[in-house]
Amino acid sequence: MDNKTLSKYAGKTAFGTILSRILGYIRDTLVANLFGTGMFADTFYAAFRIPNLFRRIFGEGAFSAAFIPVLSEYLHTQKKTEVQKFLNAVFAILLIILITISVLGMFFSPFLTKIVAGGFVNDPEKMLLTTELTRLMFPFILFICLAAFLLAILNTLHSFFIPAFAPAALSFSEIFYILAVAPMLVPSNQIKGLAASVVIGGMLHFFVQYPKLRSLGWHLKFKLDLKHPGVKKIVFLMLPSIIGLSVEQINALVDSRFASSLGAGSVSVLYYSNRIMQAPLAIFGFAFANASLPAMSKFFAQKDMTMLKSSLNYSIRLTVFTLLPATVGLMVIGLPIVKLLFEHGKFNLSGSIMTNNALFYYSLGLPAYALSKIFANVFYSLQDTKMPVKIAVGAMILHIGLCVILIHPMGVKGLALATAVSSYFNFILLVIYLKKRIGELGLKQILFSSSKSLLAATVTGITSWNMCRISDNLIIAVPIAIISGFIAFIIVSYILKVEELKIFLSIFSKYKKS
């Protein structure tokens, strides 16, 4: 797989993610319109943190990081029948584990809720509702983690569009519920119905992907084999990475725990701000991260370190090029974007300001979030899960300490800033230790390219900020500001002869031709 092919796969991932995110923001807008930033929204998003943590462990997080390199090795060293046995064995064990976790999670929901939303303890009604929602949403773990299992298989088989688009199933389920079912229910039951729609969405997420797996000539059957060598290898690689790749969700749980002790709406504004920040991160940052892990795992299996380094360097430069303008853009026109997306119904101006305050500081860490995932993927492709864990634990400790220090003077802004700072700490240490492991990474080329991208991004910010003031109508002003900023970035990048510009523009054309 050369870098042009990597671009094509990243383009497919980005395109599928864009479509999925559009539905996602329609869903979030409808939820914000119905529930605002009050008690129901706070309890829902606090409860949703818990299944998301397990999703990161047994879904696209620690499990995928261990599973994809092993599957890549099997695909390049074993016959198809042996690979199929391996997939069946993993599927059977994963299914048993997920069912067990779902049942236990529903039983221990009161205990888990106190950990995540301890700040609700002074409001018995709020705590009780959060517990009920947690119990309702725990089966989501079963379906969403199986969906992530399919995503990992399909990505390794070089299928990227369907897995990237599949999360739209969750959005579709929630949108249908809010528009067709929720109006017939009383408010307390509306939020419980939303929790049920999340579970249905997770189920749809799995079944949307399975036909693609069958079309590629593979299937999943329950055939338990606890002694399968591939399964043992995944367990060996997965155990340390459970901590490493769960750090993001643990940090989110920490944020929710601290936010629950602040004023009403703090938990929900953290969710909404993070959702906006996640858009460019998922479309551009994680597109290359998801495409690069199978590629680098393949190069490691083939003992081709030159191509592995080339893929890493290429992914970093493209990620920085795409995320710097997004970072600056969100920081300068974040409030108009928040108001356009969410300030409807029960979501008021106060909620918009609080959400934008958190968004500003979350956005500071945008490049670090994506680059940390790419650099960690290099270690995972080398089947080394221990070093990223050690670094991630250090970053998590730093994050908790910063939350304690910053929450009182800054509120939700301090929690978002703590996340950004700890992400840069994580990223920098990953770079240092990876360089010791595999040698030169081409950092001079990366820094030179990034400096030009930063200059172009600065012009983007100035342009977007000024263009956003041309109209009081946000439906007009925000799109014009985003488009104008994008055009300015392209023009300045062209003048500066930024190499990544040509690659970036070719990505989507490659997708159309494929």
Side-chain angles (χ1 to χ4, degrees):
M1 183 191 298
D2 57 20
N3 288 336
K4 290 183 178 180
T5 304
L6 182 60
S7 291
K8 182 179 73 172
Y9 292 153
K12 290 183 176 182
T13 302
F15 187 63
T17 302
I18 289 172
L19 296 178
S20 175
R21 288 283 163 163
I22 290 172
L23 279 175
Y25 285 114
I26 293 173
R27 174 198 69 200
D28 287 343
T29 299
L30 291 173
V31 173
N33 181 72
L34 185 60
F35 298 109
T37 56
M39 183 187 77
F40 290 130
D42 274 356
T43 54
F44 176 79
Y45 290 122
F48 197 45
R49 293 290 192 190
I50 299 173
N52 260 343
L53 170 62
F54 287 96
R55 172 184 181 176
R56 293 291 291 171
I57 296 174
F58 295 101
E60 67 268 24
F63 172 77
S64 292
F67 173 70
I68 289 177
V70 177
L71 177 57
S72 295
E73 182 180 340
Y74 265 72
L75 287 170
H76 290 92
T77 60
Q78 302 291 333
K79 295 180 180 179
K80 183 176 180 178
T81 53
E82 291 302 316
V83 178
Q84 184 62 69
K85 290 180 181 179
F86 167 64
L87 292 178
N88 290 339
V90 175
F91 172 68
I93 294 173
L94 188 61
L95 186 61
I96 292 172
I97 292 173
L98 293 175
I99 291 174
T100 303
I101 290 174
S102 297
V103 173
L104 291 176
M106 294 171 70
F107 183 78
F108 288 105
S109 290
F111 172 74
L112 294 171
T113 303
K114 288 180 181 178
I115 295 176
V116 176
F120 294 169
V121 71
N122 295 323
D123 189 338
E125 182 184 2
K126 205 170 186 178
M127 179 63 77
L128 178 61
L129 181 57
T130 306
T131 301
E132 291 177 355
L133 295 178
T134 301
R135 184 176 289 115
L136 281 170
M137 283 192 280
F138 240 99
F140 172 74
I141 295 171
L142 169 63
F143 300 112
I144 203 64
C145 291
L146 290 178
F149 175 49
L150 287 182
L151 180 147
I153 299 173
L154 291 174
N155 280 180
T156 309
L157 297 173
H158 303 152
S159 174
F160 292 91
F161 174 75
I162 293 296
F165 177 70
L170 175 60
S171 299
F172 175 80
S173 177
E174 291 186 52
I175 290 170
F176 178 82
Y177 166 76
I178 292 173
L179 295 178
V181 182
M184 297 183 290
L185 305 175
V186 297
S188 59
N189 287 335
Q190 284 179 336
I191 199 67
K192 294 176 184 178
L194 183 63
S197 74
V198 167
V199 178
I200 295 172
M203 189 187 308
L204 293 174
H205 190 169
F206 173 82
F207 286 108
V208 164
Q209 295 181 92
Y210 194 68
K212 182 62 179 179
L213 182 69
R214 293 300 300 267
S215 72
L216 294 175
W218 303 89
H219 59 268
L220 297 176
K221 291 185 177 180
F222 187 90
K223 293 187 177 181
L224 190 61
D225 184 0
L226 296 175
K227 297 182 179 181
H228 194 287
V231 171
K232 293 181 179 179
K233 193 166 189 178
I234 290 174
V235 173
F236 176 77
L237 293 172
M238 184 178 172
L239 288 177
S241 65
I242 284 177
I243 301 173
L245 275 174
S246 300
V247 163
E248 180 185 344
Q249 290 302 314
I250 292 173
N251 285 344
L253 289 176
V254 170
D255 287 346
S256 290
R257 178 64 177 81
F258 279 104
S260 68
S261 66
L262 298 173
S266 297
V267 174
S268 50
V269 300
L270 279 179
Y271 171 82
Y272 290 129
S273 59
N274 190 270
R275 280 288 296 169
I276 295 174
M277 181 273 295
Q278 286 282 340
L281 183 62
I283 293 170
F284 300 115
F286 290 170
F288 274 97
N290 291 342
S292 65
L293 178 55
M296 291 187 292
S297 297
K298 175 184 176 182
F299 294 138
F300 178 71
Q302 296 174 338
K303 308 301 179 183
D304 191 343
M305 294 301 295
T306 300
M307 281 303 298
L308 188 149
K309 289 184 182 181
S310 175
S311 294
L312 171 63
N313 186 285
Y314 185 80
S315 298
I316 293 169
R317 289 186 288 114
L318 264 295
T319 299
V320 171
F321 176 77
T322 54
L323 288 184
L324 281 179
T327 299
V328 175
L330 288 177
M331 292 173 69
V332 299
I333 62 168
L335 182 57
I337 292 174
V338 172
K339 294 179 70 174
L340 176 62
L341 288 175
F342 300 128
E343 198 174 300
H344 314 284
K346 294 182 181 179
F347 196 107
N348 55 26
L349 177 60
S350 175
S352 293
I353 294 173
M354 287 179 64
T355 301
N356 179 59
N357 288 339
L359 174 61
F360 181 89
Y361 290 100
Y362 269 138
S363 299
L364 284 172
L366 193 53
Y369 307 143
L371 293 176
S372 294
K373 185 172 178 62
I374 291 175
F375 273 92
N377 279 352
V378 183
F379 285 99
Y380 300 139
S381 67
L382 299 175
Q383 300 187 14
D384 176 4
T385 56
K386 293 182 180 179
M387 183 55 70
V389 169
K390 295 176 182 177
I391 295 172
V393 170
M396 181 176 65
I397 294 172
L398 175 63
H399 174 259
I400 295 172
L402 289 173
C403 284
V404 173
I405 294 170
L406 298 174
I407 185 170
H408 292 297
M410 297 181 67
V412 293
K413 295 183 290 186
L415 301 179
L417 178 59
T419 300
V421 172
S422 61
S423 295
Y424 277 104
F425 175 81
N426 186 42
F427 160 62
I428 291 171
L429 288 185
L430 283 170
V431 173
I432 293 172
Y433 282 100
L434 183 63
K435 188 176 179 181
K436 290 181 179 180
R437 174 73 184 270
I438 65 175
E440 291 298 322
L441 306 174
L443 293 180
K444 290 183 179 179
Q445 180 189 16
I446 293 170
L447 290 174
F448 179 69
S449 172
S450 299
S451 63
K452 293 195 288 186
S453 296
L454 180 60
L455 178 58
T458 303
V459 176
T460 294
I462 296 172
T463 303
S464 296
W465 186 80
N466 283 285
M467 295 304 292
C468 201
R469 303 172 70 190
I470 67 173
S471 174
D472 292 331
N473 189 332
L474 294 178
I475 297 177
I476 296 174
V478 171
I480 288 178
I482 294 174
I483 294 171
S484 299
F486 177 75
I487 293 173
F489 182 73
I490 296 298
I491 292 173
V492 176
S493 297
Y494 179 80
I495 294 172
L496 295 176
K497 298 181 180 179
V498 179
E499 180 184 350
E500 289 73 31
L501 174 62
K502 183 178 179 181
I503 302 170
F504 172 76
L505 294 176
S506 70
I507 286 178
F508 293 99
S509 63
K510 287 177 184 296
Y511 170 73
K512 291 177 181 179
K513 293 177 182 178
S514 63

